[in-house]
């Protein structure tokens, strides 16, 4: 319906008593007029719609909140973009054969969130991903990387100044001759910020509309919503993200959203690592968490390796151990992070063993063949009353911690017969943890 037809409809409807449902339909028509009026700025659309509502007799007896008005404006815009129509029965569904931009890590054509503590290297990591895309490398961190094929990247870097982004871009090869790479559509930094208010969302929506397959890097979420006065602990903290996803959804861009993590434990999932409301990771298709490996001791040097965990709707979770190398010019993968985590936990267990248990484990790990309790007693020089019982206590303690395991029994010695002797060997995890 054209603007003229809508206005004619409103003139004919004047003075007609209509139902509540029709009043909401009527509100959508008013919303269409607001959206079509280029003289009304983005941030003034809700106030303008309220003035229309309050000046019309047709809305008497009904109160529309600002959320009602805002949601109606969004609904009309989504309907115009064709994004809200349900898929009918027996319709053919489109299945994406290659859903990842970076295999197993960053999904393509949908939303991703990266959660990590400050200063862990989130911005540099994503800049490197984009740098490898721009160079057509086809691989990053040992994972397949899609070709860029002329797609553009928009950086909403409201959390950092221009100089910090220049460093990230330089390290990633995105600053040839001091100028941003051609693949970068634009950069918003802390001096030229973009926020997830009506105006910011409208700008991003228009960018998606004008640039097919746009990749949006948003760093960081809390800075983009800071002026809106939302609290991280509130469920409404995710509302700007939900609004953004609804607005840009019809154009199928790839969103890579960076957010600071909370105090998650090492065993927590990627989704639970996000700071504030869990509605934030729940609103996206893929969650990637980054965290440093815990130190074995407060006096130990910092381990520069980073544990990456993914959790999403497309496949099983992935755990990698990655590291920034070559003074920030590259990132490498050390392989499966779960194995390293288990080694670290095993090393913690070993550290908490008493002296006798530690000596026993060191000796068992050094043996090529399984050992018996009698041999262990001899090695540890256990004396006094009932050394066999003390030897068994050591073995049982190491077994409980899964540091040693039963091996084949040793046949009884001699022709008279007897009971075969139990033998034990170190587990592979114990051997790896000692060398860790």
């Amino acid at each position: 319906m054209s603007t003229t037809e809508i206005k004619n409809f409103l003139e004919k409807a004047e003075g007609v008593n209509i139902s509540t449902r029709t009043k909401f339909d009527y509100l959508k028509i008013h919303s269409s007029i607001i959206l079509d009026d280029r003289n009304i700025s983005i941030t003034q659309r809700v106030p303008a719609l309220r003035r229309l509502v309050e000046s019309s007799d047709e809305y008497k007896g009904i109160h529309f909140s600002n959320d009602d008005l805002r949601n109606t404006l969004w609904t009309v815009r989504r309907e115009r973009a064709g994004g809200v129509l349900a898929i009918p029965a027996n319709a053919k569904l489109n299945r994406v054969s290659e859903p990842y931009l970076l295999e197993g890590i960053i999904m393509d054509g949908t939303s991703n969130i990266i959660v990590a503590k400050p200063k862990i290297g989130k911005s540099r990591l994503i800049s490197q991903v984009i740098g490898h895309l721009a160079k057509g490398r086809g691989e990053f961190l040992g994972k397949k990387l899609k070709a860029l094929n002329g797609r553009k990247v928009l950086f909403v870097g409201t959390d950092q100044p221009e100089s910090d982004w220049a460093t990230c871009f330089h390290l990633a090869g995105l600053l040839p001759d001091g100028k941003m790479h051609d693949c970068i559509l634009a950069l918003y930094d802390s001096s030229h910020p973009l926020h997830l208010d009506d105006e910011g969302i409208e700008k991003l929506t228009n960018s998606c509309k004008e640039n097919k397959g746009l990749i949006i890097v948003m760093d960081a979420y809390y800075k983009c919503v800071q002026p809106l006065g939302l609290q991280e602990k509130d469920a409404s903290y995710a509302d700007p993200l939900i609004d953004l996803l609804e607005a840009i959804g019809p154009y199928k861009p790839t969103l890579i959203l960076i957010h600071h993590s909370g105090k998650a434990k090492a065993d927590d999932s990627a989704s639970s690592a996000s700071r504030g409301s869990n509605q934030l990771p729940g609103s996206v298709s893929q969650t990637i968490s980054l965290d440093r490996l815990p130190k074995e001791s407060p006096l130990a040097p910092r381990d520069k390796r980073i544990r990456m965990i993914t959790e999403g709707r497309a496949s099983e979770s992935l755990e990698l151990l990655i590291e920034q190398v070559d003074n920030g010019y590259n990132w490498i993968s050390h392989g499966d992070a779960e194995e390293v985590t288990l080694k670290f936990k095993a090393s913690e267990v070993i550290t908490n063993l008493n002296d006798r248990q530690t000596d026993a484990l060191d000796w068992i790990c050094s043996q090529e063949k399984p050992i018996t309790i009698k041999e262990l007693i001899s090695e540890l020089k256990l004396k006094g009353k009932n050394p066999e019982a003390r030897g068994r206590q050591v073995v049982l303690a190491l077994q409980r911690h899964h540091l040693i395991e039963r091996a084949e029994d040793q046949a009884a010695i001699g022709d008279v017969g007897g009971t075969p002797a139990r033998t034990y060997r170190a587990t592979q995890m114990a051997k790896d943890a000692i060398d860790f």
Side-chain angles (χ1 to χ4, degrees), residues 133-190:
L133 276 170
K135 298 168 192 173
R137 293 284 173 83
E139 179 271 337
F140 184 65
L141 297 177
K143 299 294 180 181
K144 183 179 178 181
L145 190 64
K146 268 189 178 179
L148 198 57
N149 291 331
R151 294 166 64 178
K152 295 292 185 179
V153 184
L154 175 61
F155 281 88
V156 183
T158 307
D159 192 30
Q160 295 187 146
E162 177 184 328
S163 57
D164 287 356
W165 280 114
T167 299
C168 290
F169 290 174
H170 171 70
L171 293 172
L174 292 171
L175 210 63
D177 302 322
K179 297 180 180 179
M180 290 194 300
H181 194 280
D182 290 342
C183 74
I184 300 177
L185 180 65
L187 166 67
Y188 295 94
D189 64 0
S190 57

Side-chain angles (χ1 to χ4, degrees), residues 3 57 60 63 72 113 122 131 151 158 191 193 198 233 254 261 276 306 337 373 400:
T3 302
D57 292 337
K60 284 185 178 178
H63 171 72
T72 305
I113 185 171
K122 302 180 294 294
R151 294 166 64 178
T158 307
S191 297
D198 290 343
K233 62 183 179 180
T254 298
S261 65
I306 295 170
I373 292 180
R400 281 198 303 270

Side-chain angles (χ1 to χ4, degrees), residues 3-270:
T3 302
T4 302
E5 290 172 326
I6 292 171
K7 289 181 177 179
N8 290 338
F9 175 87
L10 292 174
E11 290 173 0
K12 291 179 182 178
E14 202 66 37
V16 178
N17 185 18
I18 51 180
S19 67
T20 299
R21 179 178 178 183
T22 309
K23 287 180 180 180
F24 272 100
D25 294 336
Y26 197 69
L27 183 62
K28 289 169 68 174
I29 297 173
H30 270 124
S31 298
S32 293
I33 294 175
I34 298 296
L35 289 170
D36 282 343
D37 194 335
R38 298 301 178 187
N39 293 320
I40 300 175
S41 67
I42 299 165
T43 55
Q44 292 302 310
R45 284 177 176 170
V46 171
L49 184 55
R50 177 164 296 285
R51 287 194 296 271
L52 266 178
V53 167
E54 292 177 350
S55 64
S56 174
D57 292 337
E58 299 304 330
Y59 297 107
K60 284 185 178 178
I62 271 198
H63 171 72
F64 294 111
S65 67
N66 281 342
D67 285 341
D68 291 331
L69 302 180
R70 186 175 293 108
N71 288 336
T72 305
L73 286 165
W74 279 119
T75 298
V76 171
R77 178 160 57 187
R78 289 197 308 273
E79 288 178 347
R80 287 179 168 187
V84 296
L85 297 178
I87 301 174
N90 301 317
K92 184 177 180 180
L93 297 181
N94 295 318
R95 183 175 177 272
V96 180
S97 58
E98 294 185 10
Y100 287 103
L101 187 68
L102 178 59
E103 179 190 3
I105 299 174
I106 300 174
M107 294 190 69
D108 196 19
T110 186
S111 53
N112 306 264
I113 185 171
I114 297 176
V115 291
K117 294 177 182 177
K119 310 302 179 186
I120 203 170
K122 302 180 294 294
S123 304
R124 288 191 178 189
L125 176 62
I126 292 305
S127 296
Q128 285 286 349
V129 173
I130 303 303
H132 277 62
L133 276 170
K135 298 168 192 173
R137 293 284 173 83
E139 179 271 337
F140 184 65
L141 297 177
K143 299 294 180 181
K144 183 179 178 181
L145 190 64
K146 268 189 178 179
L148 198 57
N149 291 331
R151 294 166 64 178
K152 295 292 185 179
V153 184
L154 175 61
F155 281 88
V156 183
T158 307
D159 192 30
Q160 295 187 146
E162 177 184 328
S163 57
D164 287 356
W165 280 114
T167 299
C168 290
F169 290 174
H170 171 70
L171 293 172
L174 292 171
L175 210 63
D177 302 322
K179 297 180 180 179
M180 290 194 300
H181 194 280
D182 290 342
C183 74
I184 300 177
L185 180 65
L187 166 67
Y188 295 94
D189 64 0
S190 57
S191 297
H192 309 87
L194 183 142
H195 300 113
L196 291 184
D197 51 18
D198 290 343
E199 183 176 3
I201 292 175
E202 182 73 10
K203 286 182 178 179
L204 291 174
T205 303
N206 288 335
S207 295
C208 292
K209 185 177 180 180
E210 295 165 3
N211 298 274
K212 185 178 180 181
L214 183 66
I215 299 170
I216 303 172
V217 176
M218 186 172 292
D219 184 7
Y221 184 74
Y222 87 99
K223 277 289 187 180
C224 291
V225 300
Q226 199 171 48
L228 305 181
L230 298 174
Q231 300 295 318
E232 288 184 344
K233 62 183 179 180
D234 299 336
S236 59
Y237 190 63
D239 283 350
L241 173 61
I242 295 170
D243 285 347
L244 173 65
L245 295 178
E246 289 181 354
I248 66 178
Y251 309 107
K252 301 274 190 288
T254 298
L255 174 65
I256 304 171
L257 175 65
I258 293 176
H259 183 50
H260 294 317
S261 65
K263 297 179 179 179
K265 299 178 181 178
D267 291 333
D268 285 347
S269 66

